[in-house]
Each structure stands twice: as C-alpha cells, then as structure tokens.
Amino acid sequence: MKQQRQIDVKRFESTEGFIYQYQKLIKEVVIPYQYAVLHDQVEGVEKSHVVANFENAAKAVRGEDIGDGFYGMVFQDSDAAKWLEAVAYSLVNFPDTDLEAKADSLIDKIEAAQDTDGYLNTYYTIKDKDKRWTNLLEGHELYCAGHMMEAAVAYYEATGKDKLLRVMQKNAAHIYQHFVTEGHEGYPGHPEVELALLRLYHATGDEKCLALAKHFIDVRGVNNRFYEEEAARRDWSVWGNDATDYDYQQSGKPVREQRDATGHSVRAVYLYTGMADLAAQTEDQELLDACRHLFESITDRRMYVTGGIGSTVEGEAFTVDYDLPNDTAYAETCASIGLMFFASRMLEAEVDSKYADVMERAFYNTVLAGMQLDGKRFFYVNPLEVLPGISGEIKTHRHDLPQRPGWYACACCPPNVARCIASLGKYAYGENERTAFIHLFVEGRITFENGMVLECKTGYPYEFKVEYKVTKGSGEMAVRRPDWSSSYRILVNGTKVAAEEKNGYYYLKDLKAGDKVEIFLDDEIKKLYASTKIASDTGYVTLQRGPLVYCVEGTDNEMDVLSLSYAENGSMKAEAYEPAFLGGTVRITADGYRTCEGESLSSTGNYSMIKPEKMPCRITAIPYYTWGNRGLNQMRVWLPER
Amino acid sequence: MKQQRQIDVKRFESTEGFIYQYQKLIKEVVIPYQYAVLHDQVEGVEKSHVVANFENAAKAVRGEDIGDGFYGMVFQDSDAAKWLEAVAYSLVNFPDTDLEAKADSLIDKIEAAQDTDGYLNTYYTIKDKDKRWTNLLEGHELYCAGHMMEAAVAYYEATGKDKLLRVMQKNAAHIYQHFVTEGHEGYPGHPEVELALLRLYHATGDEKCLALAKHFIDVRGVNNRFYEEEAARRDWSVWGNDATDYDYQQSGKPVREQRDATGHSVRAVYLYTGMADLAAQTEDQELLDACRHLFESITDRRMYVTGGIGSTVEGEAFTVDYDLPNDTAYAETCASIGLMFFASRMLEAEVDSKYADVMERAFYNTVLAGMQLDGKRFFYVNPLEVLPGISGEIKTHRHDLPQRPGWYACACCPPNVARCIASLGKYAYGENERTAFIHLFVEGRITFENGMVLECKTGYPYEFKVEYKVTKGSGEMAVRRPDWSSSYRILVNGTKVAAEEKNGYYYLKDLKAGDKVEIFLDDEIKKLYASTKIASDTGYVTLQRGPLVYCVEGTDNEMDVLSLSYAENGSMKAEAYEPAFLGGTVRITADGYRTCEGESLSSTGNYSMIKPEKMPCRITAIPYYTWGNRGLNQMRVWLPER
C-alpha cells in the first residue's frame, strides 16, 4: 500500500516562478523544435525519420511494399513517445489547440502502425516481422512499448483522450499473450516497460498490466543466462552487445537479491522505478527491501554531489563504490531523470525526506544542467570538471563535452528533460486520503483529491521563504525539511506551531481555507565535503545554497580556475539576485587564493621545489545548472580548500 | 659534433653500491628467468616460442617445410634481442662462460635464421615471405631489426665477438638495398631502427648504416599519407591499426617540423633518440632544434613527476599538455627507458644538466618501479595512484594494475629494464678528449679513453656524499649539479676549489692520480608543487629526497591514504637507513592530518555539510620505486596539503 502518491498531473497549475519559466521554455522552444526534428524539418540536423517510420509501418501493416523504409536507431519510436508525453503535460498549463491537433495526428499515425495482433514497433514491422521478440538483449521493443505506454497515460490524463491508451492496452495484451500466456522466456534488455505497465495499470485498472509488470520483474535474473541462450538462437545483432555482461543489464541475479546498483545507469534506475512501484502496489516487502538497498547503493556510494549517476562512459554505467571521477564522469541527464522517478516511487512506498532530497538534488543540478538556458542545446553527459583542450577532445574524455551540442542522432535526453520539467508538479506534490505532501517547493496552484487547494508563492530556489495559502477545503499538510536546511521554521497564520516531525516531514493538522503556511528555509551558503573515500575529491570542497550546487567557470575567474582554492575560514556571500544574468541567478563570491606558478625544476617545467605564492582573491561561483552557457571555458565543481 | 659521448660499456665496473646490487639482481634473477621463458621452460607462463621461432625460420630458409611454425607477437624476435643485449652488458661485470655460451648458441640460431639476401625476421620468414616490407605500419620488421642491431653492437662491445654484428651489418645492407637503392617508399611504424643503425654506425663505421638512419628520419612524415597508401595496397593487417592516426605514429609532418611529443610514447622517444643522435653526428642544427622542442614538450608539459610519460592507455600515448591523470596514467616502463635514451643523446649533443636530471628522474622512479624488488615481476604501467577495487578492475583503470604481474605475452618491458640497468654505466658517465663527465652518481671504477681512471664510492641515492678518487692518469672532470640539490659543495683533496660552472656542470681542471674529489649533495626533503595547470595535482604536494620521489602506501598508514594530507609547515624527517626494509631504504615521516568522515547529508552518504575533523598524524612515505612490494594496498604519490 502506498503511503502517498504523486498528484495527477492536471492538478498542478502555475503562472509564475522558477519552474513555470522552465515549463514555458519547454512549451515555447523545446516542444516545437523537437516536433520539427521528428518531422525532419530542421536543416543541418541529422534525419530523425520518426514520423516517417510510423507512416511506413502503417503501410507495412496494410501489406504495402515500402522497401527499406526504416531509418534511425532501433529505439527510434521512443522519440515520438517522449515528445507526446511532454506535449501532454505541457497542455495542462498551456492549452494549445494547434499543438493538440498535431499530437492527435501523430497518435493517428501510431494507431495505424499497430499490427492487427496488437504489436507496435516500426523497426520490426518495417524491417522484418520474423525478428520480433528474438533479441530482447538489444532489440528495445519492450523499451519502445514502455515509452509509448507512458505517453498514452500522460495524454489520457492531460486531455481525457483515450485513443493512444486503447492502442497501448491492446499492445500490453499482445505482450502479455506472448510472454505470459504463451510462456516465451525473456525480460527486457533495457528496462522501462515495467514502470510503464504499472502506470498503465494505475490509469486503467487493467490487471493484466500489473501482472505483466510483475512477471518481467519476477523473472529477471532468475535464468541469468537467458541473454546468452537467446543470442545463441539468432544469427543477427544490433550492436553486438555482450550477452554475458550481467552487470550491464542488471540480470546477474533475481532482482530481489540485488544489492549494488550496477551497469547501464539509465537501465538500472528505470528497472528500480518499476520495482519500487510494484513493491508498494503489491506490498512486497522483499522487493521493497531490495529497492532500499539499491537506493542506498546509489545515493550513499555511487552518486555525484550534483545528483549525477554513472561514473564511466564504458557502458554508460555505474562502476564501484566511491569511484566518482569529475572529469570523466558520465552522469547522463536521463539517468538523473530516472533517479528522480525511482526516488519518487520510493517516496510513495515510504514517506521519507531523503527520497525527496535526492529528487531535488538530481533535478536542480544535473537535470537542469542537461539543457542550455535557451532550451536549444542539451548535454547527455554532465561532468564536474571541464578543461578546454582535454574535455571532449582526448580519447578518454571524448564524451565529456565542454559545450552543449545540438540534437543527437540518439535523442534520448532532450525529450526526457522536456517531459520531466513539464510534469514536475507530480514530483513536487503528493497526497493520500488524509494528507497533502509538499516534497519540492514549486510555485503554483495544487488541487488535492480531498478537495483541499493550496496556492504556493515562492522565489525558490533563490529565495528561501515558501508560502502556501489554503484557498479551498481543509486537511493535513506534510512539509519536507530538506537535508541541507540547517535552520527551518514554519509559521501558520504568522504563529509558530508545534508540528509533529516524522522522517523529515512536518505534519500540520487541521488546516482550513484561509490559512497561510510560511516556511523559512536556510539561506546560508554551505561548504560541502566529500567522503574521504572519494579519491577525486579529497582535500576539495564545493558550495551549495538551497538545493543548488555551485561551480566555478573560467569566464568569471580570469579564465583560470585550476589555480583557485577556497579559503578554509574565508567569507562567502550570496550576491543580489540578477534577473538578467544566466537566466536570473545569484552568484556566490567567496574568499580564496590563487596559487601562482612556482619556479620550475630545470628538468621539468611541471614541478617546482619552491613553495608557490598564494595570492588572496575573491572567487565567483555560479549554480552548476547554469554552466556552459557562455562559450568554451574551464569549469570545476570541486576546488581545493586551504 | 658531439660535445661528449657515453663511455664504452666495458669501461664501467663495480663491485658494490645501489646500482651494483641491481645489476647483480639482473644477472642472478632476471637474465636466467628470461632465458627460461624464451626457451619455454617456465611452467604457467604463456609460451614465448622465441627460440623455436628462430629454429623454424632457419628451417624455412633452408627450404624445409615447417607448417605453422611461428608463435607469438609480430615483434616476438625482439625479446631475444633485448635478452642478448642485457646479457652482453651483464657479462662485463659478471663474467660467466656458461651464460656466454648460451648467448653464443642463440646467436648461432639467429644467424641460421637469416635469409641469404640478408633478411632476418622469423615472423615473415616462417609465415609468408611475400609479405615482407608490405606493412611497415604494423609489421615491426624494422623494429625487430633495430633491436637485433643493438644486441649485436652490445655483444660485440662487451665480448669482442662479432658474429651477430656481421649478421646485422648484412641485414642493414639488405634494408639499405630495399629502401634506398631500390627506392621503395616507407618508414618504420615503430621507430627503433634509426637509433640502432646509428649505434651500428658508431661501432663499425659503416657509412651505409648512417645513411640509412638518415634516410628513415628524413622521409618520415614527408608523405604523411604513406601508411594509408600502403594499407590500400594490401589485403591483410596485424591489428587493424588506424593508418590515418598521424599523431600515433609521429608521421603527421616531417620530423624537423614536429614540435609536440605525440602518439605512442615509446615510439616517440625511440624516434627522438635517433633524431638526436643523427643531429649531433651530422651537425644538423634544424634537426637538433626539433629535438630540443620535442624534449621540452615532454619534460615541460607532458611528463609525470616520476619521469613517467604517456598519459593514456588509448594508444599508450601522449595526450595534450598538462593532462597528467594519476590513477589512469599509462607511464610505461619502456617509455621512461626510451626517455633516458633520448636524454642521453641530447646530453651528447649539448652538455646541459637538465638532460641528466631527466634521465635520473626517469631511472630512479619509473624505471626502477617497473621491477619488483626481487626481480621476478614487472609493471608495464606505472600509475601515481592506486586504489584496490578500482585500479586494474574497472574498465577505465584496467591497465593500472595494483600489483606487478608475472611475465606478459607482450614482453617488452622486463628485458628493457634488464638492459637499461645492466648498461647504466653508459648513462652515468661520458667523455670527450679532454673531460670526464659525471652525469649520474654511480659507485664503481670508470676508465676513460684519455687514460684517467676514477673510483667512485657513494651510498647514493640514500647518502649524499659522493667521492671520486683519481687512481690513474690525469685530466678534467665535469660534475653535474642536480636540479633538486639546493645546497652543493665540492672539495678537492679536502679543499674548496673555484670551479667553473656551465649549464649545470662544475669543471674541475688538472686533476691527477691521487686526487680526491668529494661532492656533497643536498640531503633535505623537498616538497614538490605541481604546475597549477595540472588539474589532477592542484592543491596537492609530493616529497622528493635526492632523486627519489616518495609515495604513501596503505600498509604504512593504517590502510587508508585517501584521508591523509601533508601539513603545510609540518616537520619532515628522513629516518635512518633500514637495510632490511624494502631492499634497503629510507622512510620519510612527515606531519600531516587524517581527515575523519563527516556526518553525511541524509540524501547522500558521500557528502557532508559538517566540516570534518582533522586529526594530526604522522605520515610514512616510501620511495616510489619500492611501492607495490607488500601486497595489495592503496598508493598515492600526491597528497593534499593543508
């Protein structure tokens, strides 16, 4: 039984504030741009062909010959799904009949591409029907199905239209038939369908969806040689993935026995999201316990301070505990989005602020950093140190780009960022029959199922007062105390109240229409120290204010951040909010030192025996999410402390 | 014209001292072990087949059918050559008729494997004669020839026997015929033959060898598309090397125009060694100028404090300026040996202590670290930070082994270390008509061509008094002042003398038999600071005493070196020499701090807002060359300074 659940996306609306500005950017820039890309209308961007793939698949279903009509990655369909999902969320706050018509038209094309038996995937429908379900390791059929199910649910919830929902229920029934009724062995190479089937179940009550999600989760890793056996049965592959890399595909043991987060980090957190949802839904304590271990494995030992996960480009993967290199980090944007999904489901299973803390850390740092401030370019990889000439250049650092590139051929992250931002209300607010939960502090109007309506006003994450007015209804409200907030005060109607605190939430009982709740969070700059087990960070510190981790860029620091160190007991100051700077932000200036170059040994210019001079200086830091918006320059999150 | 040149290897003898002990180890352990490996007599070690290859090639030359008689790498022959070269040097100090007979017997086999036209390479002779000289990019024919020429010269110089020398002169003539007389285009994929041809020239005066070396150096990179054109002409490859990777093979431009050290670091320094020798020999100022730039490119911007070079496993290569990661370093043992070769040739071209300083840094740190103290195991890769569980384990760190493995299938480093140590006298002492040069302080008896004999007594690198007695003859002596030696004093017969100093050498004139020269070097521990351009080291320091760079290992420091930092103005002490510790060494103990783990944020165990406590502690450091001799544990060269 879930202790609380995400609000329905329709029940969060906003017209102002930090998140609203981002949602507006998604609506005005990202969604139209991605629409154009999906329709191959953008000059100079690699062909997407997504929509054309659906059109061709429809012809194939009708038995028309379309020759070599597929173009793109094996998971190309998912780009359309993620775009649709973002559109759905966006329509809630920004009604737009033209956009909705475009989405409807795309949905018609998707429906037409569905085979009569319910199968839906343009790659296999166009290329070779006989290959269906024969390469779960690499084939991404279940992955694409999952994304389309998520789109269907979102579109239904946002617009009430159920055409795609029916398509995907039929698709789920087809998958159920194949894997459960007919008993074909297998589980998804790239998890996603599990969490999606559960969303479909929550939206429709279709028990088959729940059973199918449970099936995929239950069988995973039980026969851990399944992928090898599958590979032995076929004479083709997509990329030649290693079927024996159990860690990579989280298939080494049954999921209930897994304890360490391993392998491809996006696959991992998508899987864990499904597991957490299922565990809460079915009150499966063993499964929930595995989820707790996996969550701790990530957040206690394998997560960057920015909420980034995945320490290596090799397999875009987790490595081992405390291996968190800054300059060669992978920290994929999608992985942090997936971590938010996982944290949000854990929060449904058991209310504990640590889950919301992780969600917030991942969102305000890595997820937002994934997108350029103008919404036009995206990072997949989010390093914590960037050096022009090295980052993105030498072989070991080729993935760590120093500036956001345009649209990728593999377009997973941009639409994922779009759907994440557009639906942030679901992650910020939760509810159960009794209580309205405040997980993240997001300005807007929230209507809870019990009839209570809250209006939130806040300059968060740059101001630290958050105000909620009860404008309708009555009930209990639970407010999170963030782990970074040393000081914390709640006033109800101007008066301090004795609120019960449990697992990082303050419970305010018996609120009624007209009440005003004010939350005062800690506005101080915190210096963060990494565990001494993290080799890359020992002796280094970084700054955080509110949920924002700060970094230093060359542009603000004489184009040289490598010679900077923070002063051990130096002053730090949050400057005044600058609306025109980096989309509106607050710089931190801090006392530090600039180390001068010492006199080199004659045999080597790199090293000196003479203690180099340290000149006191004032360091300027900016929020990590704003880095890389002012051209090529150095960036560091961690600096030495002296 | 060379300003001075290496002494003949025969004219350095020793019976005691640090280097003698190493030479004894080479003689007693390394050479016999390698002999057994080359003859496939060691259980559990991958088959070498080197000797069998020569035997089979001899059969092939005689027209006998030997089927698939080759085994090993395309450059397998060079293992025999390097072993022979080490044996040659070793015989000088350690006469051994049995060993010499074994070497003679191997030389007989090599001679028998030479084709009638002078060609000598077992891979092509056994496998396919038609493939000769058709894959210079990967084929290693010239590389193997070069190593055999070096062995021939060494064996001739040490024993006076010229059988192999004649074989290799014939081989050189064959190569000359092919590339010069017949005008076939091309230059070596792996440089080595250039420096070897010059050694052959110095030993024999054979002008063809000089001309051929000059030819290969002159044509390199002039047609920089040569490897692509060559690849287009054949339908086979060894590894499928990228023919367009100009940096990797130092072929992007004519060598006289090259300014940055690039690509495979062993290939690079072998090439530069040949270039430097040729430049001095032929008084080619343009070539010498290129060498100066390349030397500076390495030592000023691309060299580790340990004298290691090659920052990445990708291509075992140089990357870009100031990219010197500690944990993923390549820093191949062979590359530092090659750097010594290069430095030694530069020192011949122009006497400047900076060259000897680099030679010493590379030798006493990376080269010695390449071998276990018992002479039985070897590192190829010499990282500056090792963390069990990460180093040697995760994909990005697989090459950085935390402990020395046994013999490799690719056995380049062990015999290279053997020949380097066995011939150290050549690098330590040089001469011209007038002057005896002291580059490195190595105990032993040195006979110079001008008749002067010096006897050196010293406990170097652990004692800092070096004594030279003139036991015969008379003349001038030039003594290097090392760049790390802040204090420096020379006494002649107990009296301070006014010696002229030039480019880091002190010139002591008119020495005669009976004179005693005492050099007092700096015994203080130096803290070294890296350039602020090196991201991996900013805010960190390391210790050096004499030529030895120090590191910290877990074993001496409560199995945790990541939480250690050196105290900014703390005391440092060189403990008493311990003959039984790590083969005889001096520990340094230094004031430092151990940072305790702070209280973590609830959302992440990795990071803390609470300033962690620093407990004062005493850090134990050991010379870098001794690390990894006491089981699996952490190691760091650089520590934060607080």
Side-chain angles (χ1 to χ4, degrees), chain B residues 479-496:
Chain B
V479 189
R480 163 176 157 256
R481 174 179 181 147
D483 61 352
W484 48 262
S485 194
S486 307
S487 71
Y488 189 79
R489 204 152 49 97
I490 300 182
L491 301 183
V492 177
N493 300 324
T495 311
K496 194 150 183 282

Side-chain angles (χ1 to χ4, degrees), chain B residues 13-90:
Chain B
E13 295 155 283
S14 63
T15 55
E16 259 181 283
F18 184 84
I19 297 299
Y20 173 80
Q21 291 304 326
Y22 264 102
Q23 293 186 331
K24 197 159 162 256
L25 189 69
I26 298 298
K27 153 70 183 161
E28 291 176 356
V29 177
V30 181
I31 287 175
Y33 182 78
Q34 292 186 0
Y35 179 82
V37 170
L38 297 181
H39 289 76
D40 299 324
Q41 295 163 351
V42 184
E43 290 266 332
V45 165
E46 201 178 332
K47 192 166 67 159
S48 156
H49 214 257
V50 164
V51 177
N53 286 342
F54 281 106
E55 290 167 347
N56 286 338
K59 288 184 195 163
V61 164
R62 293 195 298 268
E64 297 170 28
D65 181 26
I66 39 113
D68 189 17
F70 182 89
Y71 181 86
M73 299 278 194
V74 67
F75 48 80
Q76 205 78 353
D77 290 2
S78 62
D79 288 357
K82 280 189 265 185
W83 180 80
L84 269 177
E85 193 181 345
V87 168
Y89 300 137
S90 179

Side-chain angles (χ1 to χ4, degrees), chain A residues 598-619:
Chain A
E599 193 189 319
S600 322
L601 285 161
S602 80
S603 61
T604 164
N606 278 337
Y607 308 103
S608 170
M609 298 193 310
I610 319 267
K611 187 170 174 173
E613 255 191 293
K614 285 183 319 191
M615 306 296 290
C617 71
R618 195 78 183 163
I619 296 171

Side-chain angles (χ1 to χ4, degrees), chain A residues 221-297:
Chain A
V222 173
N223 170 15
N224 64 13
R225 304 204 47 189
F226 164 71
Y227 292 124
E228 292 156 80
E229 293 162 9
E230 182 196 63
R233 285 193 294 269
R234 62 179 148 76
D235 59 357
W236 64 285
S237 77
V238 179
W239 300 283
N241 275 17
D242 177 5
T244 67
D245 193 344
Y246 306 127
D247 274 354
Y248 177 80
Q249 45 244 8
Q250 298 86 34
S251 62
K253 356 180 182 181
V255 297
R256 285 173 184 77
E257 296 170 22
Q258 294 186 18
R259 291 293 176 266
D260 290 319
T262 67
H264 189 275
S265 54
V266 175
R267 295 175 194 227
V269 287
Y270 280 18
L271 171 64
Y272 308 154
T273 300
M275 286 163 60
D277 199 348
L278 182 69
Q281 186 62 38
T282 60
E283 300 185 30
D284 183 334
Q285 285 306 318
E286 195 187 355
L287 188 59
L288 183 58
D289 199 48
C291 291
R292 286 191 194 106
H293 278 102
L294 292 165
F295 192 84
E296 273 172 28
S297 166

Side-chain angles (χ1 to χ4, degrees), chain A residues 323 533-536, chain B residues 325-330 369 379 381-393 397-404 551-555 559-563 624 627-629 631-639:
Chain A
D323 175 48
K533 299 190 184 79
I534 303 175
S536 315
Chain B
N326 295 306
D327 57 338
T328 57
Y330 203 72
F379 277 135
V381 170
N382 296 281
L384 284 79
E385 173 176 286
V386 157
L387 301 173
I390 293 177
S391 306
E393 298 282 339
H397 293 61
R398 200 150 281 168
H399 57 292
D400 288 295
L401 302 181
Q403 298 190 85
R404 292 171 190 81
C551 68
V552 292
E553 272 198 304
T555 297
M559 296 312 278
D560 173 17
V561 303
L562 289 182
S563 63
Y624 176 76
W627 87 270
N629 278 280
L632 187 65
N633 76 145
Q634 298 178 345
M635 185 277 287
R636 283 193 127 179
V637 170
W638 295 93
L639 290 185

Side-chain angles (χ1 to χ4, degrees), chain B residues 28 93 98 119 194 271 306 327 337 355 415 422 459 487 490 607 628:
Chain B
E28 291 176 356
N93 239 349
D98 180 50
Y119 185 84
E194 304 86 339
L271 171 64
T306 51
D327 57 338
I337 292 170
Y355 299 121
S487 71
I490 300 182
Y607 309 102

Side-chain angles (χ1 to χ4, degrees), chain A residues 483 531 538 540 597 603 606 608, chain B residues 483 531 538 540 597 603 606:
Chain A
D483 62 351
S531 163
T538 56
Y540 283 45
E597 284 281 6
S603 61
N606 278 337
S608 170
Chain B
D483 61 352
S531 163
T538 56
Y540 282 45
E597 284 281 5
S603 61
N606 278 337

